């Protein structure tokens, strides 16, 4: 049975790890590399990004795809809205010549990476994320979600509108939302990647 934690425990574990073990940029780089290594990418790849660290993971993936000569494009749902570490890796993508746009043609991609929201998402999906998620779900292409499917609550797995993925790559440790609520409908397959985050707080096992 997989070990799961709450989003609060995950946030505290991230914070502790960054303060004591692994610098934040290195941790983001590890997360992006873990996602990159789990997928058999088919080009062109559309990386749909919000404005938090989840988007930063996507920028790391875009950089790695570019290094491997795999055609990819970053779709920015929120222009000029980055976390500090996310901006660092976004600028690396720009230096490497990764294409960016605010309007992706979702039906033209062969693979889509969902990096809109992370595990801390709660509430109602609003524009422009609403339209992006609808386009992802109607695209018919192979969809990967970074950490958790955008639109799902990381603790309950509930959501009115959420990305439906072929693969979800959990980072650090599974969260309750990977197994509860709408998770079975949202995720065809899932895998967890340990990137060196020390879990600080209670854990549970779920079937």
């Amino acid at each position: 049975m997989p070990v799961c934690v709450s989003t609060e425990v995950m946030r505290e574990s991230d914070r502790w790890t960054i303060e004591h073990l692994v610098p934040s940029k290195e941790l983001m780089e590890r997360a992006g590399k873990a996602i990159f290594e789990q997928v058999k990418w088919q080009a062109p790849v559309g990386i749909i990004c919000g404005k938090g660290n989840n988007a930063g993971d996507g920028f790391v993936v875009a950089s790695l795809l570019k290094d491997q000569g795999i055609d990819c494009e970053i779709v920015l749902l929120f222009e000029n809205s980055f976390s500090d570490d996310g901006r660092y890796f976004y600028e690396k993508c720009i230096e490497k010549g990764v294409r960016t746009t605010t309007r992706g043609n979702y039906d033209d991609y062969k693979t889509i990476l969902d990096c809109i929201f992370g595990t801390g998402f709660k509430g109602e999906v609003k524009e422009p994320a609403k339209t992006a998620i609808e386009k992802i779900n109607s695209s018919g292409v192979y969809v990967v979600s970074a950490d958790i499917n955008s639109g799902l609550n990381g603790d309950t797995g509930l959501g009115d509108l959420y990305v439906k993925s072929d693969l979800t790559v959990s980072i650090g440790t599974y969260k309750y939302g990977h197994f509860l609520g709408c998770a079975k409908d949202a995720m065809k397959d899932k895998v967890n990647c340990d990137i060196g985050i020390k879990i600080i707080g209670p854990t549970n096992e779920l079937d």
Side-chain angles (χ1 to χ4, degrees):
M1 291 185 288
V3 171
C4 299
V5 300
S6 68
T7 56
E8 182 179 355
V9 166
M10 197 72 245
R11 281 194 299 271
E12 176 62 19
S13 300
D14 279 340
R15 184 195 64 76
W16 192 95
T17 300
I18 289 167
E19 287 183 0
H20 296 91
L21 296 176
V22 184
S24 60
K25 287 185 179 64
E26 182 179 340
L27 206 61
M28 181 174 284
E29 191 166 25
R30 289 183 187 183
K33 185 178 180 183
I35 295 165
F36 174 79
E37 291 176 344
Q38 290 297 322
V39 182
K40 293 182 178 179
W41 301 96
Q42 291 191 22
V45 179
I47 303 172
I48 318 303
C49 294
K51 54 185 176 181
N53 283 340
N54 197 245
D57 297 344
F59 302 147
V60 175
V61 173
S63 182
L64 292 168
L65 288 168
K66 184 69 173 181
D67 290 344
Q68 295 298 314
I70 300 171
D71 184 38
C72 65
E73 177 175 80
I74 293 170
V75 180
L76 290 176
L77 300 184
F78 304 91
E79 283 190 276
N80 298 316
S81 294
F82 305 95
S83 67
D84 289 343
D85 291 344
R87 182 179 294 278
Y88 173 82
F89 286 107
Y90 176 73
E91 289 175 353
K92 281 189 170 295
C93 288
I94 298 304
E95 289 171 6
K96 291 182 179 183
V98 177
R99 295 194 314 279
T100 66
T101 181
T102 56
R103 293 186 178 184
N105 193 338
Y106 293 62
D107 293 335
D108 285 349
Y109 302 132
K110 293 289 181 66
T111 312
I112 287 176
L113 176 60
D114 154 37
C115 298
I116 303 172
F117 300 126
T119 57
F121 173 81
K122 293 179 174 64
E124 180 185 355
V125 177
K126 299 178 181 179
E127 297 293 358
K130 181 178 182 293
T131 295
I133 291 175
E134 290 170 345
K135 286 181 177 180
I136 291 171
N137 288 343
S138 64
S139 68
V141 307
Y142 190 85
V143 175
V144 181
S145 284
D147 205 5
I148 198 166
N149 301 48
S150 293
L152 288 186
N153 181 299
D155 286 319
T156 67
L158 295 175
D160 294 327
L161 175 66
Y162 49 84
V163 170
K164 295 182 179 179
S165 69
D166 295 280
L167 176 66
T168 297
V169 184
S170 164
I171 300 298
T173 302
Y174 284 122
K175 276 60 76 177
Y176 297 130
H178 286 110
F179 297 91
L180 301 177
C182 306
K184 288 184 179 179
D185 293 328
M187 308 171 198
K188 286 185 181 178
D189 197 10
K190 56 182 171 283
V191 62
N192 183 71
C193 295
D194 181 357
I195 62 168
I197 298 171
K198 181 175 176 58
I199 301 302
I200 306 296
T203 64
N204 287 286
E205 293 183 342
L206 292 178
D207 293 326

